[in-house]
């Protein structure tokens, strides 16, 4: 299902502590996003040849688009995918081994964004937690940045995402400079020690090893249970940039002007900070809950394959993002293998 979006692309230089953006350039960009119909996974050795585990794919919480590639991949691996459009109930969850919640809140009506409400009810959150404790497994891949998009459920699991933006100079674009049609691709590598020594990153055999994970954006996980393992994290250089940095920049400039005009010690000037150090900010984590297993990731796009097409200054631009990048396919399958018990 194609989506047309009018985006204001704001291009600004990289920000690091002590620096402020010098200028911004705004361009109106018309972008279409659609499933990449050309994505065709190839697996030499599917994990399950028959009667594989049932996977419930959530499509009832504003997340029913761009999951075709994920379904293709895990189905080829032998999983039996069942789409769930209804509210979560323990009885339905108990029929499956893995629940996948991918990009919740990404495709909600304008009225919801003007007045966000929790996507998951307290009853649903309790059902999921009870099911996990009894032995179920959950893959939660963040979608909307609205706080209400997953808080009711995530709070039950002891998870919280930061609403700020990650900036890490070690996350260089995987395929050159950022395009105006969308965010630059960020590359997390084993070489730069951004991947954990975990069976999900190692796989069952050498061909399943994950050395590079490419994301089109990353939300950091700032709260997690004590037994959590950070599967993917940023470098020591990472900082968090407030999403209202432009407003805060203007406030800082106004404060400086007041000070230059003769502010006294009785009129303190507080210049807001644009960045906060966040060394090794966590992007993906894994942990156990009772008899169950949980993987939470601050990005959902890598689980699928989408094609972005845009017009920028009358020039057509095209970008494929998702499972075809880096070792994203291996990472996705290894996550599913760990959640279904193939990997210990």
């Amino acid at each position: 299902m194609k989506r047309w979006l009018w985006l204001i692309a704001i291009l600004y230089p990289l920000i690091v502590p002590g620096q402020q953006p010098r200028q911004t350039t705004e361009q109106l960009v018309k972008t279409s996003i659609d499933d990449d119909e050309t994505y065709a996974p190839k697996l030499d050795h599917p994990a399950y040849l028959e009667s594989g585990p049932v996977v419930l794919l959530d499509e009832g919480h504003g997340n029913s688009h761009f999951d075709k590639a994920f379904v293709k991949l895990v189905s080829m691996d032998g999983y039996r995918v069942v789409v769930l459009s209804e509210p979560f109930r323990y009885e339905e969850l108990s029929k499956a081994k893995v629940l996948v919640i991918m990009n919740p809140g990404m495709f909600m009506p304008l009225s919801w964004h003007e007045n966000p409400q929790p996507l998951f009810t307290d009853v649903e959150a309790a059902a999921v937690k009870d099911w996990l404790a009894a032995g179920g497994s959950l893959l939660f891949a963040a979608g909307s940045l609205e706080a209400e998009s997953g808080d009711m459920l995530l709070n039950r699991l002891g998870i919280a995402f930061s609403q700020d933006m990650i900036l890490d100079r070690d996350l260089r674009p995987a395929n050159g400079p950022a395009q105006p049609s969308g965010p630059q691709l960020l590359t997390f590598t084993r070489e730069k020690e951004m991947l954990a020594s975990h069976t999900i990153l190692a796989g069952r055999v050498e061909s399943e090893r994950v050395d590079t994970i490419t994301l089109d954006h990353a939300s950091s996980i700032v709260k997690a249970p004590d037994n959590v393992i950070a599967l993917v994290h940023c470098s020591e250089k990472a900082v968090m940039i407030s999403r209202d940095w432009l407003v805060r920049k203007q406030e800082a400039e106004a404060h400086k002007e007041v000070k230059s005009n003769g502010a006294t010690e009785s009129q303190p000037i507080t210049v807001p900070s644009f960045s906060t150090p966040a060394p090794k900010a966590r992007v993906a984590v894994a942990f156990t809950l009772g008899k169950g297993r949980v993987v939470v990731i601050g990005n959902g796009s890598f689980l699928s394959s989408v094609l972005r097409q845009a017009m920028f200054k009358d020039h057509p631009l095209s970008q494929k993002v998702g499972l075809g990048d880096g070792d994203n396919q291996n990472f996705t399958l290894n996550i599913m293998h760990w959640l279904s018990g193939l990997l210990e």
Side-chain angles (χ1 to χ4, degrees), residues 23-337:
Q23 62 182 4
T24 64
T25 302
E26 295 187 357
Q27 296 292 341
L28 189 61
V29 183
K30 186 179 182 183
T31 303
S32 71
I33 305 176
D34 201 2
D35 280 293
D36 173 19
E37 300 292 348
T38 66
Y39 174 74
K42 295 181 181 180
L43 299 179
D44 294 331
H45 304 288
Y48 300 95
L49 298 179
E50 59 183 18
S51 300
V54 173
V55 175
L56 291 179
L57 179 60
D58 178 36
E59 289 194 356
H61 299 90
N63 49 2
S64 60
H65 303 289
F66 311 136
D67 54 16
K68 289 183 180 179
F70 174 79
V71 173
K72 284 182 183 179
L73 177 61
V74 299
S75 296
M76 184 172 290
D77 204 32
Y79 292 92
R80 293 176 290 163
V81 179
V82 177
V83 172
L84 182 61
S85 300
E86 302 298 322
F88 298 147
R89 294 187 299 114
Y90 186 91
E91 292 75 12
E92 290 299 316
L93 296 173
S94 63
K95 299 175 183 178
K97 178 58 181 175
V98 182
L99 170 64
V100 176
I101 303 175
M102 174 182 170
N103 293 326
M106 282 293 290
F107 303 100
M108 300 297 288
L110 179 60
S111 58
W112 183 86
H113 288 282
E114 292 174 344
N115 183 29
Q117 300 295 319
L119 292 179
F120 305 95
T121 67
D122 191 51
V123 172
E124 288 181 290
V128 171
K129 185 173 182 180
D130 289 345
W131 172 71
L132 288 171
S137 292
L138 169 67
L139 169 55
F140 187 103
S144 172
L145 293 175
E146 296 281 0
E148 291 81 358
S149 63
D151 277 3
M152 191 73 77
L153 175 58
L154 294 175
N155 286 342
R156 287 268 185 168
L157 305 179
I159 292 288
F161 284 105
S162 170
Q163 298 300 302
D164 293 337
M165 299 179 291
I166 295 175
L167 179 70
D168 186 344
R169 288 188 178 276
D170 278 356
L171 296 177
R172 297 299 184 183
N175 57 354
Q179 294 187 9
S181 60
Q184 67 180 10
L185 300 183
L186 308 176
T187 304
F188 299 79
T189 67
R190 185 181 297 275
E191 178 184 6
K192 293 186 178 181
E193 300 181 345
M194 295 176 170
L195 309 182
S197 298
H198 190 280
T199 184
I200 289 178
L201 284 311
R204 297 169 296 175
V205 295
E206 183 64 23
S207 61
E208 296 179 355
R209 177 184 167 100
V210 177
D211 292 315
T212 301
I213 296 171
T214 301
L215 308 178
D216 69 352
H217 72 275
S219 297
S220 70
I221 299 167
V222 294
K223 179 184 176 183
D226 292 339
N227 66 335
V228 74
I229 295 176
L231 298 176
V232 183
H233 59 78
C234 297
S235 76
E236 293 281 359
K237 305 173 186 176
V239 297
M240 301 302 298
I241 306 298
S242 172
R243 292 193 176 276
D244 61 356
W245 67 267
L246 186 56
V247 173
R248 297 172 69 179
K249 173 179 179 293
Q250 293 170 343
E251 290 176 351
E253 291 172 348
H255 289 169
K256 286 182 179 180
E257 183 176 351
V258 170
K259 187 173 183 179
S260 66
N261 290 335
T264 66
E265 293 183 0
S266 61
Q267 298 171 299
I269 301 298
T270 302
V271 178
S273 173
F274 303 110
S275 64
T276 304
K280 295 187 176 182
R282 299 173 294 194
V283 172
V285 300
F287 59 96
T288 57
L289 196 161
K291 297 179 180 179
R293 298 182 176 188
V294 181
V295 172
V296 177
I297 303 173
N299 175 276
S301 63
F302 83 96
L303 289 171
S304 192
S305 183
V306 299
L307 176 64
R308 291 196 184 103
Q309 294 175 301
M311 292 297 297
F312 182 73
K313 292 185 177 179
D314 297 324
H315 295 291
L317 300 169
S318 180
Q319 182 185 38
K320 287 186 179 180
V321 178
L323 286 166
D325 297 319
D327 295 323
N328 290 358
Q329 180 172 298
N330 274 0
F331 186 44
T332 299
L333 289 176
N334 289 354
I335 290 172
M336 295 300 295
H337 295 166

